[in-house]
Amino acid sequence: MPRSTSLVLVPLAAALALGGCSTTPEPPGGGVTTGPWDSSAARAAVTALPVGYLADFDDCGGLLTYYQANALELVTPYGIGGFGMGRDGSGVAVEDNSGGGDSGGEAAGGDSPVPREHSSTNVQEEGVDEADLVKTDGRIIVTTTGGRVRVVDVDTETVVSEVQMPGRRDQVSPSELLLHGSTLVVLGQEWGSAQPVDGRFLPFGAARTVVMTVDLSDPSSPRTLGSVRIEGSYRSARMVGDTVRMVMVTEPVGVEQTTPRDNSLGAESAAEEANRDLVRSTTIDDWVPHVQVLDADGGVLSTEQLLACDEISRPRDPAGLSTMSVLSFDVASGSPTPTSGSGLVASGDTVYASSDRVVVATSGWDLWRWVGPAVDAIWPTEPVNRTDLHTFDISDPGATTYVASGSVEGHLLSQWALDEQDGVLRVATTTDPPGASQQSESALVMLREEDDELVETGRVDGLGVTEQIRAVRYLSPDLAAVVTFRQTDPLYLVDTSDPAAPVVAGELKIPGYSAYLHPVGEGWLLGVGQDADESTGQTKGLQASLFDIRDLRAPRQTAVLTWPNGYSPVENDHRAFTSWPATGQVFLPLTVWSDVTWDGIDPAESGAFGGVVALDVGDGTLRESGRVPTGPKEQPDWTEGPMRTMVIGEDLWTLGWQGLSRFDLATLEGGWVVDLP
């Protein structure tokens, strides 16, 4: 769906153009400056749109005016927001990387043996791969642990190569991977800290994302295909077919501010006026992100604006100074240089993707920095109890189009709170009470894309009064499962077949809660979370539950397993969960803590454990079939479970911070095989 060109937006666009257009041609890179300051254009730039959520910028002048006018609302004698430092208090921006399917295509390995059947990253949507810290094609395992990209040969259990990231030594580090046939995509971060002169400072920290593509046709000799460096931090990456979609958030890159020379009122007034002048003198290059194309050694081949100014829009309500970008590139081309993109002057921290939509949610915590009276604009006294949602059309592999925006009351648990089908969004939210005498509650809200706005069509309120959402799973277009918790675990089954009238079909209350839900057969649902005291809500350890949901009106818990003092990363990261339907097995990384003092005590006798527990799951059956420690034999007191598990052929592999372990699927015999220091 193209951007709206509705006539109701023309007055705003005209006002912005009056204040921002330059009479001289734009220099390369979009280095546009404003002419004389136009206060009417500035007022328009900080005013909510009367109709709709979306406005385009016809040129860089209008976009620059929008950035400047909103920044002036935040200026104090001590800089934008009044802190005199970066958002995290250190002058460096905080990275927020959030995070399936078989990689497909030609497998890496050249003349190596035929790849074994293998598991893949556990993902939210079938056919939409998610970046992760480990990938396999059945012949090799690629990891990013220890800040290094290592390629491990499955047959020989050895590291056969290491992929070197381009960039400045000791400043770039890999974080996540995608694997498409023999092409590896590495996503990393690069740090830097500029130091302006003349008593000035940068109110926003520096963040860089480095993306490289690597040919692993010969795993022992990786070959760099292409690399780019992008201003900003990436929130998440998805891959659909040959196309990678990245969501980036970039703080203003070149805006400078100053502080008073002393504690006098006159010095404060002078500093505030100086800061306003610094904002008014900025160019478009000080606000928008840029991309550098790198050679194989990290040398810069070109630098240009990441998005054209007419590819960046504003939402209905001004939402800060960050620029959110949804970028695309074709893995099959071998180059990670973005081929299409769409931007929004807003932030975002939660990313959901289907095969034809990317939805980016801006949390109340992030909005909290940007709304409220000018003095309190970065950190208002009251939290913002809403979430903004922005949808992007990715149905065309060669295009990325901003479609619509809207808001829901409350906050989201994670990407699992979102779902999209045929232009209809389902959103599960929890609303915190504004006052101590009021109660939290949750809702499931249905929204539909209508022109450039997400319009509510129906909702279910009153879910888990006094509680918080702990898990969501959209089991089909007509059914959603929502778990809330405070002392007991209500599992709600919500019929969403009618977007105008969703309704709770059934409910079940049990002790504890599920933090992750996974369908394990027609009408059966596995929950992984925490056991809890029914009267106090105090958690007691890891719990796995099997639910019979064949009768939506009367869901039942048919089996439950608990591990006292236990925890699994599955509770917070779905990518740590592995289901292997071929054998009916589920694998959970498990860490069990012990209160026993370890001096002179065998860890096994203390009750502490770090490893994997295997579950046999079937229709109506759930049992533990075995557990194995996954730490190195040389460290018998190792009690931390692994981060990931994988099935390759007849073996279970586990990835910990320092290496890989390998076990026979049937017997769980095996142990530590590869060091990854």
Side-chain angles (χ1 to χ4, degrees):
M1 183 183 300
R3 292 189 178 96
S4 171
T5 54
S6 172
L7 291 178
V8 299
L9 302 181
V10 171
L12 174 63
L16 292 176
L18 286 173
C21 287
S22 172
T23 58
T24 59
E26 296 182 10
V32 174
T33 60
T34 56
W37 186 250
D38 189 321
S39 58
S40 63
R43 284 194 298 272
V46 297
T47 303
L49 299 177
V51 179
Y53 267 81
L54 175 64
D56 296 333
F57 295 98
D58 294 330
D59 55 33
C60 290
L63 178 58
L64 176 59
T65 297
Y66 182 79
Y67 282 119
Q68 291 173 325
N70 280 280
L72 289 174
E73 294 289 304
L74 309 176
V75 167
T76 75
Y78 300 90
I80 295 175
F83 288 109
M85 60 185 66
R87 291 286 179 77
D88 65 344
S90 67
V92 179
V94 179
E95 295 292 333
D96 181 11
N97 297 329
S98 323
D102 203 341
S103 58
E106 180 187 356
D111 297 328
S112 61
V114 175
R116 303 167 179 82
E117 189 177 10
H118 59 92
S119 62
S120 54
T121 302
N122 182 42
V123 297
Q124 183 175 6
E125 294 286 356
E126 184 178 357
V128 182
D129 195 8
E130 301 183 25
D132 199 6
L133 50 82
V134 62
K135 292 289 181 178
T136 182
D137 69 353
R139 286 188 281 194
I140 59 172
I141 297 171
V142 191
T143 76
T144 59
T145 56
R148 298 158 63 185
V149 180
R150 268 79 67 94
V151 181
V152 176
D153 182 80
V154 170
D155 285 336
T156 63
E157 300 175 348
T158 58
V159 176
V160 295
S161 64
E162 182 171 340
V163 175
Q164 299 295 329
M165 293 201 70
R168 302 175 181 95
R169 185 179 298 275
D170 300 328
Q171 288 184 297
V172 62
S173 176
S175 54
E176 291 185 333
L177 309 166
L178 289 162
L179 184 61
H180 184 275
S182 60
T183 301
L184 176 71
V185 179
V186 184
L187 300 141
Q189 300 123 42
E190 186 175 73
W191 293 271
S193 182
Q195 300 294 328
V197 296
D198 299 328
R200 297 178 183 178
F201 67 90
L202 297 173
F204 306 97
R208 304 285 185 270
T209 294
V210 176
V211 186
M212 66 181 302
T213 48
V214 181
D215 180 11
L216 291 180
S217 296
D218 180 356
S220 64
S221 183
R223 182 172 61 90
T224 300
L225 299 174
S227 304
V228 295
R229 178 189 290 123
I230 305 173
E231 290 170 342
S233 57
Y234 94 95
R235 292 299 189 256
S236 190
R238 302 289 197 275
M239 183 166 63
V240 181
D242 294 339
T243 305
V244 171
R245 311 284 183 172
M246 289 178 53
V247 177
M248 300 281 302
V249 174
T250 308
E251 308 286 14
V253 295
V255 178
E256 294 182 343
Q257 294 282 267
T258 189
T259 56
R261 293 185 177 274
D262 56 46
N263 292 326
S264 68
L265 294 177
E268 283 193 349
S269 297
E272 181 169 347
E273 187 55 37
N275 285 334
R276 292 183 177 279
D277 288 340
L278 286 169
V279 169
R280 294 188 186 105
S281 66
T282 56
T283 71
I284 193 65
D285 279 328
D286 294 322
W287 299 94
V288 299
H290 298 79
V291 57
Q292 289 182 333
V293 178
L294 309 178
D295 62 24
D297 298 321
V300 177
L301 298 176
S302 65
T303 303
E304 59 186 30
Q305 195 168 308
L306 179 64
L307 297 171
C309 292
D310 61 4
E311 293 176 323
I312 301 174
S313 304
R314 62 160 288 184
R316 181 186 66 183
D317 301 309
L321 304 175
S322 306
T323 303
M324 177 176 64
S325 309
V326 178
L327 310 173
S328 303
F329 67 88
D330 181 7
V331 183
S333 71
S335 171
T337 303
T339 54
S340 70
S342 184
L344 184 69
V345 186
S347 187
D349 52 13
T350 301
V351 178
Y352 161 85
S354 64
S355 59
D356 61 358
R357 285 290 186 275
V358 166
V359 182
V360 184
T362 304
S363 71
W365 178 259
D366 200 63
L367 286 168
W368 193 5
R369 298 183 301 173
W370 293 117
V371 302
V375 174
D376 296 325
I378 298 294
W379 299 109
T381 55
E382 296 293 333
V384 179
N385 211 347
R386 82 167 196 263
T387 298
D388 289 348
L389 303 169
H390 312 287
T391 64
F392 297 80
D393 185 351
I394 60 169
S395 57
D396 180 354
T400 306
T401 307
Y402 177 27
V403 179
S405 291
S407 297
V408 292
E409 187 178 10
H411 60 84
L412 309 187
L413 171 71
S414 65
Q415 67 187 63
W416 292 89
L418 295 163
D419 177 78
E420 184 276 335
Q421 299 243 354
D422 300 323
V424 175
L425 268 67
R426 294 181 287 183
V427 188
T429 75
T430 295
T431 303
D432 293 321
S437 64
Q438 297 170 293
Q439 298 174 325
S440 64
E441 66 173 86
S442 298
L444 195 150
V445 184
M446 308 285 288
L447 305 167
R448 185 184 298 278
E449 294 173 352
E450 294 185 5
D451 295 325
D452 54 19
E453 188 169 358
L454 296 175
V455 177
E456 181 179 315
T457 63
R459 60 188 298 141
V460 173
D461 289 302
L463 303 179
V465 176
T466 76
E467 300 172 344
Q468 305 281 324
I469 289 178
R470 294 301 184 99
V472 184
R473 188 80 190 218
Y474 296 101
L475 299 169
S476 74
D478 298 334
L479 182 62
V482 180
V483 171
T484 63
F485 175 76
R486 184 180 179 189
Q487 289 176 290
T488 57
D489 167 10
L491 168 65
Y492 296 97
L493 299 177
V494 183
D495 182 345
T496 60
S497 56
D498 182 356
V503 61
V504 173
E507 176 184 344
L508 172 67
K509 289 188 177 183
I510 58 171
Y513 65 88
S514 297
Y516 175 69
L517 298 170
H518 193 89
V520 289
E522 190 67 30
W524 297 93
L525 188 63
L526 179 67
V528 179
Q530 285 283 309
D531 185 19
D533 184 280
E534 194 168 355
S535 60
T536 66
Q538 180 67 41
T539 57
K540 300 190 294 185
L542 184 66
Q543 174 175 280
S545 302
L546 186 64
F547 300 102
D548 180 355
I549 59 172
R550 291 174 294 181
D551 183 352
L552 299 182
R553 298 166 300 178
R556 299 183 302 122
Q557 183 189 56
T558 61
V560 61
L561 299 172
T562 59
W563 296 268
N565 297 321
Y567 161 80
S568 176
V570 171
E571 298 174 54
N572 295 303
D573 190 340
H574 61 279
R575 297 171 299 181
F577 180 91
T578 298
S579 174
W580 192 239
T583 60
Q585 291 173 292
V586 163
F587 299 100
L588 303 179
L590 172 63
T591 298
V592 176
W593 291 283
S594 174
D595 296 329
V596 178
T597 301
W598 285 12
D599 293 341
I601 298 176
D602 187 328
E605 296 178 2
S606 73
F609 175 80
V612 171
V613 59
L615 308 180
D616 285 344
V617 184
D619 291 351
T621 63
L622 174 66
R623 70 179 185 89
E624 179 181 330
S625 57
R627 69 174 79 177
V628 288
T630 57
K633 296 181 176 63
E634 293 75 15
Q635 299 183 39
D637 59 346
W638 186 280
T639 56
E640 185 177 8
M643 298 176 291
R644 297 289 187 269
T645 61
M646 300 163 285
V647 174
I648 302 177
E650 302 300 320
D651 295 316
L652 171 70
W653 287 75
T654 70
L655 173 67
W657 287 112
Q658 297 189 41
L660 292 158
S661 296
R662 183 177 189 171
F663 304 91
D664 183 272
L665 267 182
T667 65
L668 293 184
E669 294 179 352
W672 190 271
V673 291
V674 182
D675 284 332
L676 297 174

